[in-house]
Amino acid sequence: MSYQDQLTENLWLLSKLYHSNPPDRSWVPEEHTLTLTILDAVANYLTTGQADSVIACYYQSAPATLILAKSGCVDDEDRSAVTQFLGELKAAHDWLDLLPFLAQRSSGQVNEKIHKLRTYFVENCEDLCEEARFYQPGTDPSMSEFPGRWSRAFFAINDLNAPKPTEVPQTLIFILNLCNDYLTKNQEFGSAQDACKRFSRLLYATRTLLDSQFLCTIRDPRLKRYLAELTQYLDIKYVIKFLRRLNGEIDIRWVSDAGNGTVKRVLDTATVGDRFKKSYVVNADLDDDTKDLLLTRMDRKFPGWCGDQKGPIHVTLYVHPEIRLFLDLIECNIVQDRDIVIGCSQKRCFACKLWIKKFEDTADMNLISNLDYGKPRFDWVHPDLPAAMRNISHLEADLNSYIQSEVDSWIKRTIGQETWEAFNICCDNKI
């Protein structure tokens, strides 16, 4: 079995076993914060939300150029979308003017984010309102409960005044119910009449909730994550302002697909699952009761870890766009700074995180992006290093072995923890 085949199988299994820690966006140097916000916004507006349409982007200042990479192959539709996008940005007076383009290009991605927040509100809205009812805002007059321009816009749209401290709990309940009303009516974002207007009102409300001091008291990290993902579309206002400073003059360059196309393969997940099941359970040095309990716990906690019994699945492997763009910048000798700021429409996946960390440590570079890590993705393929990097001793081999080793370690730790717990339960039952 080749290195890539083994890695694909292991990443598939890890995608079933993986439970990430609460996301923790790493510290971004202040001088790069606005650039990253702008680039993330551009990437989110240009993606369609499909697996082969993840977008990464970088801004080259001289000459002013937006450099783009895509997970799949770039086609005429992509080039046309970017041309249209720039035209819309140049003509825009406000971020609201970009919503029709977003509805046309990326409604599927937007609705996925709405669905996540909807599911959360269905399960938790009553509890959130109860917490808001007994919430006690801070007494420091310099700390507004609802800071920022988005909160002011929200209150203006709803004919409200900024609340006094005693009015904050009721205002929070109003915001929560407003969000819940939109979400529970299953309203979809798209090109339908009034869809953009309704969606803009949801964004104003969710951003006001996200920026509130109240949200800092909510321990569940999912709410903040879902709100942040959805309200990113507001950041297009910074792109509009930035483009005005350039008088609308900016070039576009797509990273070449040459040498970084797609690789298609068939993955028999049932065979993969059976192999790991035999290695870690059936052939383990455990008594039958512990094995049975371990399998029961694994099936309940990690559905599908034994594979799809209906048949093999088809997988298309890509060099993920963040890495593709990163290597292109190095090969073209564009990067003059140690810090490389790249925006992306998708969270950095598990394998990308490992690859970039190892590369940074070896090459003394720092790739700055949104580091809310996503789950392992088994459509990941190892990239070929550009000629400029091949003189770094053992770099490619080190990258390969490091990723494989880390993936193996996660699998062993996860199954090992479940084995230990099953063993202890069985021992307690026998006492």
Side-chain angles (χ1 to χ4, degrees):
M1 181 184 297
S2 71
Y3 160 80
Q4 182 61 57
D5 287 345
Q6 184 178 354
L7 181 61
T8 301
E9 293 185 358
N10 289 2
L11 283 171
W12 171 83
L13 178 66
L14 189 59
S15 72
K16 299 298 181 182
L17 303 179
Y18 188 79
H19 283 292
S20 63
N21 295 322
D24 180 22
R25 178 164 179 161
S26 68
W27 176 76
V28 175
E30 185 176 354
E31 65 269 24
H32 298 313
T33 301
L34 181 58
T35 302
L36 181 58
T37 299
I38 289 172
L39 293 174
D40 279 344
V42 170
N44 276 295
Y45 270 74
L46 287 176
T47 184
T48 64
Q50 301 299 315
D52 65 347
S53 184
V54 180
I55 300 293
C57 53
Y58 173 85
Y59 175 68
Q60 177 184 346
S61 58
T65 307
L66 180 66
I67 305 175
L68 298 161
K70 182 186 172 188
S71 50
C73 294
V74 181
D75 54 28
D76 290 340
E77 184 179 340
D78 297 316
R79 296 184 179 91
S80 176
V82 174
T83 300
Q84 181 187 351
F85 181 57
L86 285 179
E88 300 279 0
L89 285 170
K90 293 174 185 178
H93 297 288
D94 196 348
W95 72 275
L96 293 165
D97 297 327
L98 269 296
L99 288 184
F101 175 85
L102 184 65
Q104 173 190 339
R105 177 71 176 172
S106 195
S107 59
Q109 173 100 330
V110 175
N111 284 319
E112 282 185 18
K113 296 178 181 182
I114 291 175
H115 176 72
K116 287 181 183 179
L117 191 60
R118 176 185 298 134
T119 301
Y120 185 89
F121 263 76
V122 167
E123 297 173 354
N124 299 283
C125 187
E126 288 186 11
D127 291 338
L128 288 171
C129 287
E130 189 68 13
E131 290 192 48
R133 185 172 288 109
F134 294 100
Y135 172 67
Q136 295 183 352
T139 57
D140 186 349
S142 65
M143 293 289 290
S144 171
E145 177 64 37
F146 301 103
R149 63 162 288 183
W150 300 114
S151 298
R152 292 193 297 272
F154 170 78
F155 291 129
I157 290 170
N158 290 279
D159 295 323
L160 298 171
N161 295 319
K164 300 175 182 177
T166 55
E167 299 169 337
V168 166
Q170 198 59 38
T171 302
L172 285 167
I173 293 172
F174 172 76
I175 295 170
L176 289 166
N177 285 330
L178 198 67
C179 294
N180 191 54
D181 184 58
Y182 178 101
L183 294 166
T184 54
K185 286 182 178 178
N186 289 320
Q187 298 187 35
E188 296 290 309
F189 176 64
S191 57
Q193 188 175 8
D194 291 336
C196 289
K197 182 178 180 180
R198 292 196 305 267
F199 180 60
S200 69
R201 287 182 172 271
L202 175 66
L203 288 185
Y204 279 123
T206 49
R207 183 57 180 262
T208 302
L209 180 60
L210 176 64
D211 292 342
S212 69
Q213 301 297 325
F214 167 72
L215 197 69
C216 298
T217 68
I218 304 300
R219 294 184 178 181
D220 189 341
R222 291 178 300 164
L223 178 57
K224 184 174 183 180
R225 180 165 77 247
Y226 298 156
L227 290 172
E229 287 177 355
L230 185 61
T231 58
Q232 262 191 317
Y233 296 110
L234 292 167
D235 293 334
I236 199 68
K237 77 180 186 74
Y238 298 112
V239 185
I240 296 170
K241 289 182 178 180
F242 182 76
L243 201 59
R244 283 176 186 164
R245 293 203 300 269
L246 297 176
N247 294 319
E249 298 299 324
I250 188 170
D251 294 329
I252 299 295
R253 180 172 75 81
W254 284 95
V255 173
S256 171
D257 295 325
N260 285 303
T262 60
V263 179
K264 298 182 183 296
R265 66 157 296 182
V266 176
L267 180 61
D268 189 344
T269 59
T271 300
V272 177
D274 188 59
R275 173 163 58 85
F276 280 98
K277 180 178 175 180
K278 286 181 179 179
S279 298
Y280 288 98
V281 181
V282 176
N283 296 334
D285 186 17
L286 302 168
D287 59 52
D288 290 342
D289 289 342
T290 303
K291 290 180 181 179
D292 290 341
L293 179 59
L294 175 58
L295 285 175
T296 300
R297 287 172 58 87
M298 292 283 291
D299 290 340
R300 183 175 65 249
K301 191 170 182 179
F302 309 113
W305 80 283
C306 284
D308 188 345
Q309 304 302 318
K310 296 179 182 179
I313 61 175
H314 294 270
V315 183
T316 302
L317 308 180
Y318 308 95
V319 176
H320 287 190
E322 189 177 4
I323 292 178
R324 182 181 293 192
L325 178 53
F326 182 44
L327 293 178
D328 178 83
L329 297 175
I330 294 171
E331 186 166 24
C332 296
N333 198 28
I334 290 172
V335 178
Q336 303 298 325
D337 194 349
R338 181 176 177 273
D339 293 341
I340 304 173
V341 185
I342 290 179
C344 196
S345 63
Q346 183 170 272
K347 297 175 183 177
R348 185 180 292 181
C349 79
F350 185 81
C352 282
K353 178 188 73 170
L354 296 175
W355 190 95
I356 290 169
K357 180 180 182 299
K358 185 66 174 177
F359 192 98
E360 287 175 334
D361 292 344
T362 305
D364 193 31
M365 292 181 177
N366 188 24
L367 199 163
I368 297 172
S369 65
N370 186 337
L371 299 185
D372 281 1
Y373 300 127
K375 294 181 179 180
R377 290 176 52 193
F378 53 95
D379 61 357
W380 195 91
V381 64
H382 202 289
D384 294 329
L385 293 181
M389 305 304 299
R390 290 174 193 153
N391 60 350
I392 300 179
S393 179
H394 306 300
L395 176 58
E396 190 157 16
D398 288 347
L399 287 166
N400 289 356
S401 61
Y402 176 71
I403 293 172
Q404 188 68 274
S405 174
E406 287 295 306
V407 171
D408 289 345
S409 294
W410 267 89
I411 292 172
K412 291 175 182 177
R413 281 200 303 271
T414 303
I415 300 180
Q417 180 65 31
E418 294 301 318
T419 302
W420 178 250
E421 292 180 9
F423 176 77
N424 284 335
I425 291 172
C426 284
C427 287
D428 291 342
N429 291 340
K430 291 176 181 178
I431 296 176

